[in-house]
Amino acid sequence: MARLGQASFRSILLGVILLLSIPTLLVGLSVTHRKARSSLLETARQNLKESAVRKGDSVQRSFGFLKENLLLASSRIGSQENSPEELKNFLQELQKAAPKNIRCLQAIDIASQTPLASTCQNLDLETSALFPSQIWPQKPPNTELDASTIRTSLVPLPIPKNHTTSSQETNQEMGVVLNAPVYVVPEPGASSNQQLQYILRAVIPLRPNEPSQEEPGSLTGYTVLINEDGTILEHPNDPSRVGKNIAQQADSERLRSIVNGALSGREHFVHLYQFDRNNKELIAGYTAIESPVNPEKKWVVLAVTRLDFALSGLNELRQVYGVLLLGLLAANFLVTLYLAPRLLARPLERLGEYALNVQCHTTTEPVPNNFRVREFNQLAEALNTMVDRLKTWAEELNAAWHEAKVANRLKNEFLANISHELRTPLNAIIGSIRLIRDGFCDDREEEMGFLIEADEAAIHLLDLISDLLDLAKIEAGKLSIHLQSVNLQEVLDEAVESQKNHIQEKGLQLYEQKSSQKLQVKADPSRLQQIFFNIINNAIKFTEKGSITISTEVKKLGSETNSKFQVLVTIQDTGIGIDPNLQSQLFQPFVMVDGSTTRSHGGTGLGLAISRNLVELMGGRIVLESPGKNQGTTVTIGLPLLVNNGYNATGDRAQASPEETRKTSQTQN
């Protein structure tokens, strides 16, 4: 019966599916979105690093090309004497054919250090400060002039008037000035008299002709150049930063890490947050190249693009996410409203009804099965098996409860017996010693009698305590035995001899059937003697009249030719016997089958339990048989024979040749 506030599995199932499925879908889409974003960023990272390397190579190739062209132009000028007007016309023609990134050209006279011809307008460059004439020899070297002859300097340049600037931009930019020596031939055919007369100068601004126009999805980026000392040389999208040091920028720490990393030889990727006039988040790949101005220095090349441009592909993915989310929601509602209740809720309700009927004992039908879900069929089968097993366990528990009651009764009997068994020898010891101590003995002979009585009581008490300790070791698994080759008949004779006086006192007859052969077994001699002593002592204790018979025989274990032999020691008495229904309990600790009968004979009920464990530790077995009360008891102890000694399958001694008898005797000895 459902309690107030409880809900059915069906309602809980529907609620849980609805509450968990939508957040799960959203989380899944979020994870997918993050994964896609990470993939796009990784792609941008690789592309921008490669773009920075390509841009650096392009800068170096561009300056190499300019230097070669400048050397060719200088050689053409020096091939003949030119007037200022001719120089100007030559420079104008050269300017038209020159790459677009060359702003202007100048021919500077060495003597006056003033431009003789120039295509530069309103461009004031200090000629002597840039390159004094002494940096080149007055006569050309013997070898052909190469790019190393070009002298380069990095200088600030004013922005041309026709270039539109915003209010935030500066009125200057950084530029590179290339200077090539011009050796002029004074007269035709007198090449050996060439003299340094001009400097051919090319002014190259680092600012591009037009601002970079990036598009979403483009991963090449625009180029930013930074000098080794941290000066920003080129920034097409924010010219106001040109000429300033990176220490003055908001992202100074990141920019410094870029410069340090590039100078150390790394090609890497980094995020920038305030390196654009619009303060957009940027991503940049970077590398380092040899400075065109000073080969001993380096420039850092950055390929920079906006983060939202690199992630522009996410817009298309968001549309896909939306369609996917709608489809998943539709499928989720279908499962929630139709499939889940039919496939999950109803089978569980049927199984629940069956369990309630089993609890109320109102059903004899088998558990429902044949569900569409395999796990429910397995659950039904497991439930059916569990019910059968619970019934079996209930029966076993009931039997165990009765056994526990019996064990509790036996424990109480054992405690009563053991207290009596311990007090009896203790009282005898105390009484005998006190009689001697208080001088109540008439002579030495009477004192010796009391001492003998106290000694016998102490030995009996020691045996009781030893039995208790042995049982404790057995139950703890700590009882150890020392196996060795033992003559079984000798150990048995010693045990019988120790009990002969007791047998004679009770007037019992002792019959022994000894084997004429030496029977070697692998056993612990002291423990084996303890076993024989316990069994013989029990036979004497529970036999008031009649006889005790002890016999030894050898039998084969099995019918195979190579089967081993065992020695059987049988101790039979004509005592009180045991009810067959109670014989199975005799080898349990503390058990006295008939307390009213056995209590008069004394004992703790531990002898048989200890003997069984010791025999099993030696690889043997012990069996007790009795036809019934007052019909005697037979105890058989079997131990494996260590040497067969020529016994046949019936246990009789086979006839052997003298040679075989001699070998057998040597083996036994």
Side-chain angles (χ1 to χ4, degrees):
M1 181 177 180
R3 297 180 181 178
L4 185 64
Q6 292 182 337
S8 66
F9 174 77
R10 185 187 297 261
S11 61
I12 293 176
L13 177 64
L14 295 177
V16 169
I17 292 177
L18 288 174
L19 290 176
L20 295 183
S21 58
I22 295 178
T24 302
L25 291 176
L26 295 177
V27 170
L29 291 177
S30 176
V31 172
T32 304
H33 180 77
R34 292 173 62 88
K35 184 65 177 178
R37 187 177 187 276
S38 300
S39 299
L40 291 175
L41 278 179
E42 182 63 25
T43 302
R45 178 180 294 111
Q46 297 297 331
N47 288 348
L48 287 175
K49 287 194 297 183
E50 295 175 1
S51 177
V53 174
R54 290 195 300 269
K55 290 177 182 295
D57 293 340
S58 176
V59 170
Q60 290 183 315
R61 288 196 302 270
S62 176
F63 276 100
F65 176 73
L66 292 174
K67 289 180 180 180
E68 291 178 359
N69 288 342
L70 195 63
L71 285 176
L72 290 175
S74 66
S75 63
R76 287 182 58 188
I77 295 175
S79 63
Q80 59 185 355
E81 187 72 25
N82 295 300
S83 64
E85 188 64 26
E86 291 175 338
L87 283 175
K88 184 176 181 181
N89 294 333
F90 178 78
L91 292 181
Q92 289 177 350
E93 293 296 328
L94 187 61
Q95 177 72 44
K96 294 178 182 179
K100 294 182 179 180
N101 55 345
I102 296 181
R103 176 178 295 184
C104 60
L105 299 170
Q106 287 182 332
I108 301 174
D109 181 60
I110 289 294
S112 62
Q113 295 186 358
T114 57
L116 295 179
S118 175
T119 62
C120 302
Q121 298 179 359
N122 301 322
L123 182 63
D124 186 14
L125 295 177
E126 297 182 2
T127 305
S128 59
L130 288 173
F131 288 101
S133 59
Q134 286 77 8
I135 61 176
W136 291 288
Q138 291 297 320
K139 293 186 178 182
N142 296 327
T143 60
E144 185 179 355
L145 298 180
D146 55 14
S148 61
T149 311
I150 304 296
R151 299 295 182 259
T152 312
S153 61
L154 183 66
V155 295
L157 301 175
I159 296 178
K161 295 181 179 180
N162 57 355
H163 187 86
T164 58
T165 60
S166 64
S167 58
Q168 298 179 350
E169 295 183 12
T170 59
N171 59 354
Q172 67 176 10
E173 59 185 348
M174 300 302 295
V176 176
V177 177
L178 303 180
N179 298 273
V182 178
Y183 292 93
V184 178
V185 179
E187 295 180 1
S191 57
S192 59
N193 295 325
Q194 287 181 333
Q195 298 291 329
L196 178 63
Q197 189 171 354
Y198 307 118
I199 294 177
L200 181 59
R201 173 175 294 167
V203 180
I204 306 169
L206 295 178
R207 181 190 183 99
N209 295 327
E210 297 180 358
S212 175
Q213 299 294 333
E214 287 190 283
E215 296 181 358
S218 174
L219 296 179
T220 57
Y222 58 84
T223 305
V224 175
L225 295 177
I226 301 178
N227 201 359
E228 184 174 325
D229 61 2
T231 303
I232 300 174
L233 305 178
E234 178 184 354
H235 195 309
N237 280 17
D238 193 357
S240 62
R241 302 177 188 268
V242 175
K244 297 181 180 179
N245 195 279
I246 58 175
Q248 300 173 303
Q249 309 301 314
D251 276 347
S252 58
E253 294 184 3
R254 288 178 177 270
L255 292 171
R256 175 50 61 186
S257 67
I258 289 175
V259 173
N260 294 337
L263 294 179
S264 63
R266 285 190 300 170
E267 297 174 357
H268 208 54
F269 175 90
V270 75
H271 284 255
L272 297 171
Y273 299 99
Q274 295 180 341
F275 199 55
D276 185 84
R277 68 173 67 190
N278 299 320
N279 289 330
K280 296 288 185 179
E281 184 177 356
L282 307 173
I283 51 177
Y286 61 83
T287 186
I289 62 173
E290 181 182 292
S291 172
V293 177
N294 186 353
E296 297 180 358
K297 301 292 184 179
K298 290 185 177 181
W299 283 3
V300 179
V301 181
L302 280 71
V304 185
T305 189
R306 286 169 46 173
L307 179 63
D308 54 348
F309 286 178
L311 300 178
S312 61
L314 289 178
N315 296 328
E316 298 179 0
L317 290 178
R318 291 190 184 97
Q319 297 177 0
V320 176
Y321 295 158
V323 175
L324 179 61
L325 179 60
L326 292 177
L328 291 176
L329 288 177
N332 175 68
F333 279 109
L334 177 63
V335 172
T336 302
L337 299 177
Y338 177 71
L339 295 179
R342 185 174 181 180
L343 295 179
L344 300 179
R346 183 53 189 160
L348 286 180
E349 290 170 356
R350 291 179 60 190
L351 292 175
E353 292 172 358
Y354 172 79
L356 289 175
N357 292 333
V358 170
Q359 179 185 5
C360 300
H361 305 285
T362 60
T363 182
T364 57
E365 297 180 357
V367 64
N369 51 17
N370 296 327
F371 299 112
R372 294 185 179 180
V373 180
R374 181 178 64 253
E375 284 75 11
F376 285 142
N377 290 325
Q378 295 174 351
L379 178 60
E381 183 179 352
L383 183 61
N384 193 28
T385 304
M386 182 183 65
V387 171
D388 294 339
R389 189 174 298 175
L390 286 175
K391 292 178 181 178
T392 304
W393 286 350
E395 296 173 357
E396 294 176 354
L397 184 61
N398 188 38
W401 180 72
H402 288 291
E403 291 180 1
K405 290 179 63 177
V406 174
N408 187 57
R409 177 179 60 80
L410 293 175
K411 181 198 69 173
N412 294 333
E413 291 180 2
F414 169 77
L415 291 177
N417 289 336
I418 196 64
S419 62
H420 172 74
E421 292 291 334
L422 293 175
R423 283 198 301 269
T424 299
L426 279 174
N427 289 334
I429 295 171
I430 294 172
S432 299
I433 293 176
R434 285 184 177 178
L435 288 173
I436 297 172
R437 184 195 65 183
D438 297 338
F440 290 106
C441 298
D442 295 334
D443 51 24
R444 177 63 178 170
E445 184 178 354
E446 187 175 3
E447 289 181 354
M448 290 301 297
F450 284 124
L451 288 175
I452 292 173
E453 183 179 351
D455 181 68
E456 292 176 351
I459 295 299
H460 179 59
L461 181 61
L462 179 61
D463 291 340
L464 293 175
I465 296 174
S466 297
D467 287 345
L468 291 172
L469 292 176
D470 286 344
L471 183 64
K473 290 180 180 179
I474 290 172
E475 292 185 345
K478 296 182 179 179
L479 182 65
S480 60
I481 60 174
H482 303 283
L483 298 178
Q484 60 187 37
S485 179
V486 177
N487 189 329
L488 182 141
Q489 191 63 52
E490 291 181 358
V491 177
L492 180 59
D493 290 343
E494 291 177 2
V496 173
E497 188 67 27
S498 66
Q499 296 290 330
K500 280 187 176 180
N501 290 335
H502 193 190
I503 295 174
Q504 293 174 0
E505 289 175 358
K506 295 194 70 173
L508 302 176
Q509 296 294 324
L510 176 64
Y511 300 102
E512 294 183 79
Q513 298 177 3
K514 298 183 180 180
S515 175
S516 60
Q517 300 298 324
K518 185 178 180 180
L519 304 175
Q520 293 292 123
V521 295
K522 194 171 186 180
D524 188 323
S526 61
R527 294 297 185 180
L528 184 59
Q529 186 176 13
Q530 179 183 355
I531 294 170
F532 291 147
F533 181 86
N534 285 339
I535 303 302
I536 297 172
N537 185 57
N538 282 345
I540 298 171
K541 184 189 304 182
F542 297 110
T543 305
E544 296 298 329
K545 61 180 180 178
S547 63
I548 297 174
T549 302
I550 302 174
S551 62
T552 304
E553 64 175 333
V554 177
K555 282 193 175 181
K556 192 174 184 180
L557 295 173
S559 59
E560 291 79 4
T561 304
N562 58 351
S563 297
K564 296 183 179 179
F565 289 84
Q566 67 171 348
V567 181
L568 298 180
V569 179
T570 304
I571 302 171
Q572 184 178 8
D573 62 65
T574 59
I576 61 176
I578 303 170
D579 187 343
N581 296 325
L582 302 176
Q583 292 177 16
S584 60
Q585 304 177 17
L586 284 175
F587 291 102
Q588 298 179 8
F590 317 129
V591 172
M592 292 183 177
V593 176
D594 187 355
S596 62
T597 302
T598 58
R599 188 169 297 168
S600 61
H601 299 86
T604 60
L606 302 177
L608 287 177
I610 294 175
S611 298
R612 184 196 65 176
N613 283 277
L614 291 175
V615 169
E616 290 177 351
L617 287 174
M618 297 177 192
R621 61 187 181 90
I622 184 169
V623 179
L624 184 146
E625 297 175 346
S626 177
K629 286 188 176 182
N630 301 319
Q631 298 185 42
T633 304
T634 301
V635 178
T636 303
I637 302 169
L639 291 170
L641 187 64
L642 193 59
V643 181
N644 290 344
N645 290 330
Y647 286 98
N648 57 27
T650 63
D652 299 328
R653 179 74 174 176
Q655 296 295 327
S657 64
E659 182 64 24
E660 292 175 344
T661 304
R662 184 179 63 81
K663 291 181 179 179
T664 304
S665 177
Q666 291 176 354
T667 303
Q668 292 177 349
N669 292 332

